[in-house]
Each structure stands twice: as structure tokens, then as C-alpha cells.
Amino acid sequence: MKKFLLMAVMAIMTLGASAQTKWYSGGQLTLGRTTTELSGVSLKSTQIAVLPEIGYNVTNNFALGAKFGVDYRKTGDSKLTTFQINPYARATYFHSKMVDLFVDGEVGFGIGRAHSHNAVTYEIGFRPGVTLNLNERFSLVAHVGFLGYQSGNRPAKRNGAPENWGLNLDSTDLMFGFYYHF
């Protein structure tokens, strides 16, 4: 009986030790500013997004997670602030000791107010990224671009929400962040 109990405790400790790096948390920050010339008039757009994130590595090459937070956009005199939730499935297709390359399949939803109207944003698509593994517990991460569809309802689009279909590689789709693995 003592041997069985000792083996059970050791098995549970082994499972706990191997599961320590399955979960990760962190967040991402987006800062973007673009200037567009329209009929000789300069139109400036600003985006700031703060998105805390949590995820779970199902296997070495597949993870599930979600980003949630606040997205602020200002285009000319129009302002839009939305609260976002973006669940994703991550496929990692390249591993090395320091660098991982991955792509997130993501569905995003945001809700907020714009000039006393309900503003809704949504997106579905893919976000490629790179992770720099600093050590066993800490990583830096960057997402570059978006391939898919982004849009919103009329109040959201009138106040700066993008309506894109295809590949978007501008400064508003560059996100930097960090992860803590536990």
C-alpha cells in the first residue's frame, strides 16, 4: 500500500512538473499613427490597443488562447474606443532554441460607443507572428500583419474602424508583447 501511494504521489508530481509550462500569460501593445493625403488635406489616424492575453499549449505545435482589452482609434475628429475579445488557435510551424514562428487563426469582436451610438467591430483571419524565447519562463512576441476580413457596423466605420479584406501590413497591425510561461 505504501509503495502504491508513493508511486501515485510521484506520478502526480511528474504531471505537475510537465504541465508547468503549458499555460502562458502576458499581453500585447499596439501603437500606430498614419497620415493620409486626401485632396490636399492631411488626415491623421492613431491607434492604441492594450490586450492582455492568456493561453494554453495543447501540444508543442498547437495552442488555444484569448486576447482581451481596449482598442482606441482616432481618425481626424472621429474617436472610437472598443472593448475587445479575440479568441485564437495557434499553429507553430518552426521551432528553434530561441525563435518560434507561428500563425494565429483568430476571431475578434469589439463593442463600444461612438457619438452616442453602439459601435461593434469584428474580424476573422490569420495573424503571423514570431516568439523570441529569452529563457524557460519569459518570451517576447510580435505579430506582423493580418490576412482576413475586418469591419464593423456603421457607427464603428464612421469613427475609424477599418474595413479590410485581404492582406494588411501597415503599422496598425504590428503588435509587440511578452509572455510568462507557468
Side-chain angles (χ1 to χ4, degrees):
M1 181 69 174
K2 288 181 185 179
K3 288 180 182 179
F4 176 75
L5 188 58
L6 180 63
M7 285 183 9
V9 168
M10 288 177 62
I12 291 170
M13 287 174 55
T14 303
L15 287 173
S18 68
Q20 283 181 342
T21 59
K22 292 273 189 181
W23 287 94
Y24 59 91
S25 67
Q28 297 194 11
L29 176 67
T30 299
L31 301 169
R33 180 137 175 117
T34 57
T35 303
T36 307
E37 293 289 329
L38 295 172
S39 304
V41 176
S42 180
L43 183 64
K44 296 182 181 186
S45 298
T46 304
Q47 180 189 13
I48 301 169
V50 178
L51 300 168
E53 180 175 348
I54 190 159
Y56 180 76
N57 291 310
V58 178
T59 68
N60 202 26
N61 296 328
F62 183 74
L64 296 172
K67 293 179 275 195
F68 48 92
V70 177
D71 183 33
Y72 169 80
R73 297 173 187 266
K74 181 179 181 199
T75 304
D77 294 331
S78 301
K79 295 178 186 176
L80 175 64
T81 302
T82 56
F83 297 96
Q84 301 282 327
I85 179 129
N86 297 40
Y88 63 85
R90 173 171 295 167
T92 303
Y93 56 90
F94 175 80
H95 290 285
S96 74
K97 184 176 180 178
M98 293 280 298
V99 176
D100 296 334
L101 300 177
F102 63 87
V103 65
D104 289 348
E106 175 174 302
V107 176
F109 178 76
I111 189 162
R113 299 284 290 171
H115 296 288
S116 70
H117 290 88
N118 288 331
V120 178
T121 61
Y122 43 88
E123 66 183 24
I124 185 167
F126 300 97
R127 241 180 243 289
V130 60
T131 302
L132 177 63
N133 300 309
L134 301 175
N135 59 37
E136 187 178 304
R137 296 284 182 209
F138 292 98
S139 301
L140 298 176
V141 64
H143 285 89
V144 183
F146 183 80
L147 174 63
Y149 181 68
Q150 298 172 313
S151 190
N153 65 357
R154 280 190 203 153
K157 287 191 275 188
R158 279 191 225 128
N159 290 285
E163 183 165 23
N164 300 320
W165 175 252
L167 179 62
N168 192 3
L169 290 174
D170 65 16
S171 64
T172 61
D173 282 311
L174 179 62
M175 293 187 282
F176 294 103
F178 70 93
Y179 290 152
Y180 174 75
H181 303 269
F182 53 97

